[in-house]
Amino acid sequence: KDDRELMIDLFPLLNALEEGITLMGAENYSTGSSVLPFLFMFNKMLAPDHENDRPYIIEVKKELSDYLRNATIKNINVNALSKASFLDKRYSTFSFMPGKKKDVREMILRELRGLQELDDAVGLDELRAVKKRRLLSLDIDDDNNEFDNLSKAERELKLYDLEGKISSTENPLLWW
């Protein structure tokens, strides 16, 4: 097998790898909605096709798959990616992880409650009495009677849930 044929055979894998590196690079706002589907798709692509792949391609796929598995186990925080996706109004429908949106919402609610408990313990509310404050920094009037029976953390997340979804081409940080 000459080098040219080898490169032609490897080209689809290298293209997908380049796409993933670009997708997860520091220039992008990576969330679970982009990283997790890519990893799933790329792992699928790395599965050996014993009928069509040449032996050296099967070996390259195995090496790359093993490396990717080890690297992602050590370096990917699925919880952080999932929370980033939940809070990113472009992807908050959570179609990339069916059935997990409720779990992630509960995880965020627990963290918001922890932040509120810390605020209460330190007594920061008195310092902020002159300014309305929201835990997620959203500027929505929370004098709504619908939320009277909710804790501050629950009210915060409920108000966030009511925010509209934005286009996937919009910058999710602009409304901050």
Side-chain angles (χ1 to χ4, degrees):
K1 198 84 174 133
D2 70 6
D3 289 346
R4 190 170 85 65
E5 288 175 320
L6 177 65
M7 292 307 295
I8 290 170
D9 288 345
L10 287 175
F11 195 72
L13 282 176
L14 297 175
N15 260 348
L17 188 58
E18 177 189 28
E19 180 183 328
I21 290 168
T22 301
L23 178 72
M24 293 185 265
E27 297 167 4
N28 293 313
Y29 177 70
S30 296
T31 64
S33 53
S34 57
V35 174
L36 299 176
F38 167 76
L39 290 174
F40 177 76
M41 179 274 309
F42 195 62
N43 260 334
K44 222 171 147 178
M45 181 181 256
L46 292 176
D49 179 354
H50 292 286
E51 286 184 27
N52 298 315
D53 286 343
R54 294 189 171 102
Y56 60 87
I57 295 296
I58 291 173
E59 185 60 30
V60 167
K61 284 182 172 182
K62 182 188 177 326
E63 291 293 321
L64 197 50
S65 178
D66 290 346
Y67 177 80
L68 185 64
R69 188 174 302 107
N70 290 331
T72 56
I73 287 170
K74 293 177 187 170
N75 296 309
I76 300 249
N77 184 335
V78 175
N79 284 339
L81 287 170
S82 299
K83 288 184 281 188
S85 290
F86 182 92
L87 295 170
D88 182 341
K89 283 299 185 175
R90 296 174 301 171
Y91 306 111
S92 58
T93 59
F94 245 64
S95 58
F96 68 98
M97 287 178 76
K100 295 292 185 186
K101 183 175 182 173
K102 184 178 177 184
D103 297 338
V104 174
R105 187 182 195 287
E106 286 301 314
M107 189 178 359
I108 290 171
L109 185 56
R110 280 193 305 275
E111 288 185 26
L112 286 173
R113 285 179 180 141
L115 288 172
Q116 187 59 55
E117 287 171 12
L118 181 62
D119 262 12
D120 292 345
V122 176
L124 293 177
D125 277 348
E126 294 82 33
L127 298 174
R128 296 188 188 106
V130 294
K131 179 182 175 190
K132 283 192 177 189
R133 179 176 167 271
R134 304 244 350 260
L135 295 173
L136 292 174
S137 302
L138 300 174
D139 187 25
I140 296 175
D141 181 19
D142 49 17
D143 289 336
N144 187 330
N145 294 337
E146 176 185 345
F147 305 118
D148 285 349
N149 296 326
L150 300 176
S151 71
K152 289 179 183 179
E154 290 167 326
R155 182 175 54 238
E156 182 70 25
L157 197 52
K158 177 73 172 169
L159 288 168
Y160 187 74
D161 286 342
L162 295 174
E163 291 274 327
K165 186 177 185 297
I166 65 172
S167 165
S168 63
T169 59
E170 290 183 57
N171 181 347
L173 304 177
L174 288 180
W175 55 267
W176 276 338

